[in-house]
Amino acid sequence: NNQIFSGCDIGYSDQHLATHSIDDKSIVIGNDNVFRENCTIHLPFSLDKTIIKNNCFIMVNTNIPHDAIIHNNVTIAYNVAIGGHCEIFEFANIGLNATLHQNVKIGAFSMIGMATEIKKNVLPFLIIHNNNKKVFKLNKIGFERNYNGNIKFNKLEEFKIKLLENKTLPENIGNELDEMLEPFKKSHNGFYC
């Protein structure tokens, strides 16, 4: 049930100058995704798969690069430039003309504002806009619209306060949020706060 509009290119080699390190590589696309006109999806370079999971909406002229992992229910607006090895988690929303540097992670339920340049990781539930180097605010609309887990919004507000005070990832915020933060603890890119 994927919809693939005209001009989409899926499966061309990665845009990388070095020699490939993987012989058997593929693109894995889940179900119920929409790829609007002129999207490109490239083969991996150093992993064995470029992955797009389920229910994603990828708008016009967007490139899914080598070694990317796009989780379920992600929306990527048109003309978004994504660097290789990026990972975008569930229900993230990437605004039009945004630019994501290589190797960044975009947290679940977060939002990247229009024309924003992202060079660091974006933690779950946050909004980063206009290249602001500090947390802009919590994505309350995305939370209310899409989130159905065990985290309460007041817990997210506590998380944001601790994050801004300490400039490090707070510990023991809540089991579900701790799990969402785990991939960011291993990353070398740092994060916005």
Side-chain angles (χ1 to χ4, degrees), residues 13-14 18-26 43-50 66-67 85:
S13 63
D14 57 84
T19 306
H20 297 276
S21 56
I22 302 288
D23 290 328
D24 186 19
K25 50 193 174 174
S26 62
L43 287 167
F45 171 74
S46 58
L47 301 176
D48 59 347
K49 293 177 178 69
T50 297
H66 64 84
D67 305 290
H85 298 278

Side-chain angles (χ1 to χ4, degrees), residues 6-192:
S6 63
C8 290
D9 289 322
I10 300 172
Y12 282 101
S13 63
D14 57 84
Q15 296 184 94
H16 205 292
L17 294 175
T19 306
H20 297 276
S21 56
I22 302 288
D23 290 328
D24 186 19
K25 50 193 174 174
S26 62
I27 294 170
V28 176
I29 299 175
N31 300 315
D32 302 308
N33 297 292
V34 175
F35 300 95
R36 291 303 306 249
E37 297 83 356
N38 303 320
C39 290
T40 56
I41 306 170
H42 289 131
L43 287 167
F45 171 74
S46 58
L47 301 176
D48 59 347
K49 293 177 178 69
T50 297
I51 300 170
I52 301 166
K53 294 190 177 179
N54 304 306
N55 300 306
C56 295
F57 185 28
I58 315 295
M59 296 184 203
V60 172
N61 296 332
T62 293
N63 175 53
I64 306 300
H66 64 84
D67 305 290
I69 301 172
I70 312 297
H71 291 265
N72 297 326
N73 301 297
V74 168
T75 299
I76 302 176
Y78 64 86
N79 292 332
V80 170
I82 303 172
H85 298 278
C86 286
E87 186 168 8
I88 304 175
F89 289 89
E90 291 83 1
F91 286 101
N93 192 325
I94 315 297
L96 57 96
N97 293 314
T99 304
L100 279 57
H101 193 274
Q102 296 92 330
N103 298 300
V104 298
K105 297 179 186 302
I106 307 298
F109 303 94
S110 63
M111 184 171 201
I112 307 304
M114 173 179 69
T116 299
E117 179 183 274
I118 298 295
K119 293 183 179 178
K120 296 181 180 181
N121 296 318
V122 175
L123 298 175
F125 298 105
L126 299 182
I127 293 176
I128 304 294
H129 188 263
N130 274 348
N131 303 322
N132 191 343
K133 301 303 179 200
K134 296 183 178 181
V135 170
F136 189 70
K137 62 181 177 178
L138 292 169
N139 187 8
K140 187 171 185 180
I141 292 172
F143 178 85
E144 291 172 349
R145 203 180 274 169
N146 300 311
Y147 180 73
N148 60 4
N150 297 319
I151 302 169
K152 303 292 182 212
F153 195 76
N154 64 338
K155 274 290 190 191
L156 289 181
E157 291 171 331
E158 287 176 29
F159 159 68
K160 179 183 168 187
I161 290 167
K162 288 182 181 180
L163 181 66
L164 291 172
E165 285 174 354
N166 302 323
K167 306 292 189 225
T168 60
L169 289 177
E171 298 287 334
N172 302 319
I173 288 291
N175 291 340
E176 194 172 343
L177 186 52
D178 285 336
E179 286 175 23
M180 288 179 166
L181 294 174
E182 192 61 35
F184 297 90
K185 293 177 183 175
K186 301 170 188 168
S187 178
H188 302 292
N189 274 39
F191 49 84
Y192 290 98

